[in-house]
Amino acid sequence: MPPNIHREAPLRWGIAVILVLLASCGFPLAPVSEQSTALRHPEAGYREVRVGDTLYSIAWESGRDYRDLARWNRVVPPYVIKPGQKLRLFPPVGADQANRPELKPSPPMSNQRVTIEKVPEKKKAVVEKLEAPARQHVPAVSTKQLDWIWPTEGALLERYSANGPNKGIDIAGRKGQRILAAAPGQVVYQGGGLRGYGQLIIIKHNADFLSAYAHCDRIYVKEGNVIKRGQKIADMGSSGADRAKLHFEVRYRGAPVDPQDYLPKK
């Protein structure tokens, strides 16, 4: 038997043991999921602005509302940021929570509003519980102001998952297939700087709603363009993906929501 075999065997066992220890300590040994990386809370407290970034793209990447980032960093409209600038990704320590914009619930069915101060103490807890809105709850008025359409034709490859990595829907198609704006708005980001999205377009529809179109090939719009509903904004591609498809997301105040709650039923 060649003498090298006796030397290589302990080395192989040693490498195997090291890999097992790394995995048990939480070091990833496989690539992370595409869109999940953009939805994790940022580990660093600050993010340095890179060429091509916008306030909206950094907010999308970090899972923040762009208005929160602007307020925490004292950035005023039109939210111009510059390469090398460091943006705070968390509220300043000791920040007055009373100064944060209120997340308003859906308008009541009637104009009458219960005044909690006049409710007997024994019923107060029940009334407060009924009136407390969830953060992801979307006001009906804001929803009606937008008339959504499907951004492209094709079968659904993957649906939105509230507790999973996919925070949008994946639509199958062919390279060069047209991608349309699902609702009117303004392009606030166009580029390939967000990991897992390939060539990406983000459209701001109003103060609360934004949508994103990922894995594009040829893009026909640029940042600042005002877009009509149904306008062709890109061709479908496979940038940042394993096949030609459109990954489509909708966010309300920085939080992912199910696009199929707004798109016409098929």
Side-chain angles (χ1 to χ4, degrees):
M1 181 180 293
N4 288 339
I5 295 179
H6 296 286
R7 297 173 185 173
E8 290 177 359
L11 178 60
R12 291 173 181 172
W13 279 106
I15 292 174
V17 171
I18 291 173
L19 290 175
V20 171
L21 290 174
L22 287 174
S24 65
C25 293
F27 290 90
L29 299 180
V32 294
S33 178
E34 279 185 291
Q35 284 78 37
S36 63
T37 54
L39 300 173
R40 295 178 299 176
H41 290 297
E43 297 176 358
Y46 290 84
R47 162 74 150 76
E48 184 172 338
V49 178
R50 299 187 291 265
V51 175
D53 284 337
T54 69
L55 184 78
Y56 296 92
S57 68
I58 294 176
W60 195 282
E61 177 186 57
S62 60
R64 301 290 191 257
D65 189 323
Y66 69 94
R67 290 166 296 191
D68 287 338
L69 284 188
R71 187 172 64 257
W72 299 340
N73 294 279
R74 299 181 180 179
V75 179
V76 298
Y79 305 125
V80 176
I81 56 177
K82 298 179 181 180
Q85 181 178 352
K86 288 188 176 182
L87 295 183
R88 179 189 296 274
L89 300 180
F90 292 91
V93 176
D96 186 0
Q97 297 297 316
N99 291 331
R100 299 184 65 183
E102 180 184 0
L103 297 178
K104 297 182 180 180
S106 299
M109 295 303 295
S110 66
N111 293 327
Q112 296 179 352
R113 185 178 182 85
V114 177
T115 304
I116 296 179
E117 289 78 4
K118 296 181 180 180
V119 176
E121 191 66 28
K122 62 182 180 179
K123 296 182 180 180
K124 184 174 180 179
V126 177
V127 174
E128 288 179 340
K129 183 176 181 181
L130 291 174
E131 291 193 347
R135 179 176 174 80
Q136 287 82 10
H137 189 73
V138 180
V141 172
S142 296
T143 304
K144 291 179 181 178
Q145 288 175 348
L146 294 174
D147 189 10
W148 300 82
I149 64 169
W150 283 83
T152 195
E153 295 293 330
L156 277 182
L157 294 172
E158 190 170 356
R159 296 178 182 272
Y160 169 87
S161 175
N163 299 318
N166 196 25
K167 297 308 179 185
I169 57 175
D170 290 351
I171 305 174
R174 66 186 186 281
K175 184 176 181 180
Q177 182 174 319
R178 65 178 188 165
I179 297 174
L180 312 177
Q186 184 175 26
V187 178
V188 293
Y189 177 76
Q190 184 267 305
L194 274 69
R195 181 185 175 192
Y197 287 92
Q199 290 299 314
L200 173 70
I201 300 171
I202 299 177
I203 297 178
K204 176 184 177 183
H205 301 291
N206 57 27
D208 294 323
F209 282 95
L210 289 87
S211 63
Y213 310 75
H215 310 308
C216 298
D217 186 25
R218 186 176 179 183
I219 293 176
Y220 299 98
V221 295
K222 59 183 180 180
E223 291 171 13
N225 285 167
V226 175
I227 305 300
K228 297 179 181 179
R229 183 187 71 139
Q231 179 176 335
K232 183 178 179 179
I233 59 174
D235 290 337
M236 186 181 294
S238 57
S239 59
D242 57 355
R243 59 161 295 167
K245 65 179 179 180
L246 171 66
H247 175 75
F248 176 66
E249 291 187 21
V250 175
R251 294 199 186 181
Y252 171 73
R253 297 187 179 180
V257 292
D258 188 347
Q260 289 188 270
D261 288 344
Y262 309 102
L263 298 174
K265 303 297 182 184
K266 283 191 173 182

